[in-house]
Amino acid sequence: MLIGVPREIKRHEYRVGLTPGSVRECVVHGHSVLVETGAGAGIGADDAAYVAAGAEIAPDAASVFARADMVVKVKEPQAPEWAMLRDGQILFTYLHLAPDPDQAHGLIASGCTAIAYETVTDAAGQLPLLAPMSEVAGRIAIEAAGQALRRHAGGMGLLLGGVPGVKPARVVIIGGGVVGTQAARMAVGLGAEVTIIDRSLPQLRRLDDLFGGRVRTRAGSRAVLEEELAAADVVVGAALVAGASAPKLITRADLQLMTKGAVIVDVAIDQGGCAETSRPTTHDDPTYEVDGIIHYCVANMPGAVPKTSSTALNNATLPYVLALANNGLAALHTDAGLRAGLNVHRGQITYAAVGAALGLPHHDPLAVLA
């Protein structure tokens, strides 16, 4: 199979779909790889590194999309890329379609087979291709909060960990999954006071054991959320419903409960955000203020550390890339977890949560693949 790797064009996105090491592995397995010139610049991998790994260099994205049987990316395709996708072509990348009807309609019109990293599952029902970027985003969330709390950034002028004799910041994390766990690790390591809210009691027990009492765990309810928001200096939104729009847990009215200059870091912004007042921002203009509360809602947080992120992502995605390259769409028939990643196939939505979010009919993946 000919695998295509275009350069990412989303603003301040420096990751790459395949690293030179992953290209080498694909070549060893008998596949050809076409990489757009400059695609690896953000991770310090020049065209020569890709040629040494066995890739062919394409002069532009149009050449990659025109020739590739499968396109491997990181971020969701942008409008110019939708137009280059074609019937029968496989697209393997993050999609986050639920809050993005324009992209969904673009993929439907293209006729491609679009497989989303974020809905692929493993044998335990976990999300193995979302996990590495959730780990990165969870850790960055606390770094971002620390910056946003500074007075020159519009925050209240508070140091996350405090100093001897001065109380630390209070960090409230909504959601105890991968993002929430990693955010808690960072916040605890910096000396902040940390509370994690989650509706799953087994998850709260796991977190309590993991942190050995260094974080508070609270069962999620409206009353608990309001109480914690009122005490929070930082709120990390880490609630996730796989493939669906994030639940709007923080209302506009809730901001009145919070201390002025407090910070919301909405890591769920890729899925629409878990605060009503959240809207996507970029790395060069990451924050804005609503009712005295600073919002950080960068939609591609791991893109800020592309060398770490690209390697971590490739560690997880490469086995699936090889499965698709080796077997084509037959890989979706034999691997139910990979099939769970199928969101769009030849003009039809194939993921229930995406169809529900967009008000579009969805179809059983096995039926449309037959």
Side-chain angles (χ1 to χ4, degrees), residues 7-20:
R7 180 176 56 84
E8 296 293 325
I9 61 173
K10 186 164 185 172
R11 187 169 180 79
H12 288 297
E13 181 51 68
Y14 303 107
R15 290 172 289 180
V16 64
L18 292 179
T19 64

Side-chain angles (χ1 to χ4, degrees), residues 74-204:
V74 178
K75 287 305 292 178
E76 69 279 359
Q78 306 299 292
E81 296 171 315
W82 309 336
M84 293 188 284
L85 290 163
R86 65 176 189 274
D87 183 66
Q89 192 172 48
I90 298 172
L91 172 66
F92 194 33
T93 189
Y94 288 115
L95 294 176
H96 301 293
L97 288 177
D100 193 351
D102 290 342
Q103 185 202 167
H105 287 294
L107 295 181
I108 289 168
S110 76
C112 78
T113 296
I115 303 168
Y117 292 161
E118 73 272 11
T119 63
V120 172
T121 60
D122 61 19
Q126 302 300 306
L127 304 171
L129 307 189
L130 187 61
M133 296 303 92
S134 295
E135 290 169 342
V136 174
R139 295 185 179 206
I140 289 178
I142 299 304
E143 293 182 1
Q147 293 288 333
L149 277 173
R150 295 180 181 181
R151 193 68 189 91
H152 68 267
M156 63 176 70
L158 188 66
L159 184 65
L160 273 172
V163 293
V166 180
K167 70 176 184 177
R170 185 160 182 173
V171 176
V172 174
I173 299 169
I174 304 172
V178 176
V179 170
T181 300
Q182 295 303 319
R185 282 185 184 275
M186 291 292 285
V188 167
L190 288 170
E193 189 178 314
V194 181
T195 299
I196 303 175
I197 302 172
D198 199 285
R199 290 187 177 275
S200 168
L201 291 179
Q203 184 75 342
L204 293 177

Side-chain angles (χ1 to χ4, degrees), residues 320-362:
Y320 295 94
V321 170
L322 290 173
L324 288 165
N326 291 339
N327 304 298
L329 296 185
L332 300 175
H333 287 276
T334 57
D335 186 337
L338 181 56
R339 189 167 63 248
L342 185 64
N343 279 213
V344 179
H345 178 64
R346 293 191 167 175
Q348 300 180 90
I349 297 289
T350 55
Y351 197 82
V354 169
L358 298 176
L360 296 172
H362 70 275

